[in-house]
Each structure stands twice: as structure tokens, then as C-alpha cells.
Amino acid sequence: MHDISVSESFTINPIGYIESDYPDKFGIPRQPGLATAAKATLVLTPPFNTPLSVRGLEAFSHLWISFIFHRSPDEWAPLVRPPRLGGNKKIGVFASRSTHRPNRLGLSLVELVGIDTHNGVRLLLKGADLMTGTPVVDIKPYLPWTEAVSNARSGFAPAPPPFYPVEFSSAAETALAQRADASDLRRLITQVLGQDPRPAYHQGQLEREYGMQLRDVNIRFQVQQMSELGNVVYIINIQKQTNN
């Protein structure tokens, strides 16, 4: 039996990085696959960007992406407050999928929709919950016959989060209509904001205005109480980002 030193450390080198519809952390769905309209590209970097490294990968429909939560703090705590529990109840960090982890490692299941090897290697993905700039450390193909467990227990998250209806103001509709990707962007906005991306401790507050970024636009929205529909996410305006 080998002795394993608990003080031993390891170096992990990123193999690439993400370009996605999420330029910032706020608003990213808390799990992969919840916003299927979200597009991302995994750009492999040298020396990993040879087509040889992805030979045969096109035969798989989904991938496991191992990555670093690079925008999370280095510090961690043994207890965290999951948003699904209202942001108040504490559970152990290893009983959660919190970004505040000892080694900041993340794991996402994403759909592979294409591989571009014309100039390096770029993997085209859908449903990713990864922001632009995320360092990726590994890729593995998903095997549904061994990794999809139908009778698994899901603890404090037994079902998908609730989804709110999304309505667009006339100003937002006008801004959307001027874009070539209007239909696709509408789906993305609806899927992301319908999950109510506000912090858990804000979810009792209505009418407060929030802002977030998707692709190259800034979006202003409110969560409003409408008697016949319950809570509705109301898109106030959509404006293209500027460099100022």
C-alpha cells in the first residue's frame, strides 16, 4: 500500500478557454442545459490544439467539461448557502455545487454541435453555463449508459428551478427587431431570465431594476407581481454594449 502525502500538490495546466454568450457571471444559469439557446466555443490552446487530440470526438453528442471557477475567490469555507435553499440555510460545501470550492474546480455537461479544425481546434457547444474566459482543464465524452442514473436521489434540488414568464417592453421589442439574431437572442433572454437570476436574498423584492449582459447587449429587467400570472420577468430595455 502506497503512502499518500496529504501535503502533496499538483499543477493543472488549462488546455483552452471558453468564448460564450455570457460575458459576466451575473445571470449565468446555475446548472448546464437549462438555457439550450446559449452558445459557446471551447478554443484549445497550444500544444493541445492539434486535430489529433480530438480525433473521434465527433461521434459523441455531449461532453463533460472540467474547468476552473476563475472569478471565484481563493478562500473557501466548509459551509455554503445554496440559492435553491433561499440563500439562508447552510450545508457542507461538498454537499453543494457552489463555485466557492477548495480547488475551484467545476464540471459541466454540454452538447457538442461541431468541431472546427481549420485553424487550431474550436469545439462548438450548446447549453453551457460557462462565462467567457473560463479556463478549461479537461474534456471527456459523456456515456449515457453508465452516467445517466434514472433512480438517483437529488437531495435539496429534486427538480428544475421554477420558470417565470418573460415579457418584453415595446422598447425592448424594437431593439430586438433591429438585430439579425433577433429570434435566437429572444430565446436566450427568455431562457436565462425566466429562471430569475437575482440573488436568492433578493427574490422577495419586486419592482427593483436589475441589469445583466448577454452576448453584446445590456439588458434591464424587473420581476413584477401580476395577479393573474404570478411573478413575471419584465424586460425594460435592451441596448448594445459600448466601449465607453
Side-chain angles (χ1 to χ4, degrees):
M1 183 175 180
H2 296 287
D3 291 330
I4 300 176
S5 171
V6 295
S7 63
E8 187 174 2
S9 62
F10 301 89
T11 299
I12 296 179
N13 296 313
I15 62 170
Y17 62 91
I18 293 290
E19 296 175 347
S20 80
D21 285 337
Y22 305 116
D24 193 51
K25 290 193 302 181
F26 180 64
I28 297 179
R30 296 185 176 102
Q31 304 298 339
L34 294 178
T36 56
K39 299 176 182 177
T41 300
L42 168 49
V43 183
L44 297 188
T45 52
F48 313 106
N49 63 339
T50 167
L52 296 176
S53 67
V54 294
R55 179 186 291 176
L57 195 62
E58 71 281 355
F60 297 90
S61 64
H62 290 76
L63 308 175
W64 288 112
I65 303 294
S66 300
F67 62 95
I68 303 293
F69 288 112
H70 67 300
R71 292 280 295 275
S72 293
D74 291 332
E75 300 81 11
W76 72 281
L79 294 174
V80 297
R81 304 173 189 266
R84 289 294 292 273
L85 295 177
N88 295 314
K89 184 177 179 179
K90 292 183 178 181
I91 65 171
V93 64
F94 298 130
S96 80
R97 299 177 72 153
S98 169
T99 62
H100 298 260
R101 316 190 69 80
N103 289 301
R104 297 193 292 170
L105 287 172
L107 183 67
S108 281
L109 179 62
V110 301
E111 183 180 354
L112 175 65
V113 296
I115 302 176
D116 182 357
T117 58
H118 289 97
N119 184 19
V121 176
R122 299 169 66 90
L123 305 183
L124 311 180
L125 312 173
K126 280 183 61 178
D129 56 342
L130 306 170
M131 70 177 293
T132 292
T134 296
V136 172
V137 297
D138 201 10
I139 305 164
K140 289 186 176 70
Y142 170 73
L143 302 177
W145 54 268
T146 187
E147 294 170 339
V149 183
S150 60
N151 61 346
R153 298 194 306 273
S154 300
F156 61 86
F163 190 86
Y164 291 172
V166 177
E167 295 190 354
F168 292 76
S169 71
S170 58
E173 293 283 11
T174 298
L176 267 180
Q178 297 172 359
R179 295 180 58 95
D181 63 345
S183 178
D184 188 51
L185 181 57
R186 174 188 286 274
R187 283 196 303 273
L188 178 63
I189 292 171
T190 300
Q191 290 177 358
V192 171
L193 294 188
Q195 299 174 57
D196 190 0
R198 299 174 301 161
Y201 58 88
H202 281 192
Q203 290 181 5
Q205 303 177 20
L206 301 178
E207 307 298 333
R208 177 172 174 174
E209 187 172 320
Y210 295 85
M212 68 168 296
Q213 298 178 12
L214 284 176
R215 294 186 182 169
D216 61 340
V217 297
N218 294 310
I219 302 167
R220 308 298 301 183
F221 71 96
Q222 293 176 326
V223 176
Q224 300 182 351
Q225 178 70 44
M226 298 186 179
S227 57
E228 70 277 11
L229 295 172
N231 286 353
V232 172
V233 180
Y234 184 68
I235 311 300
I236 299 170
N237 207 349
I238 299 171
Q239 294 181 321
K240 191 163 184 176
Q241 297 173 24
T242 64
N243 293 326
N244 296 331

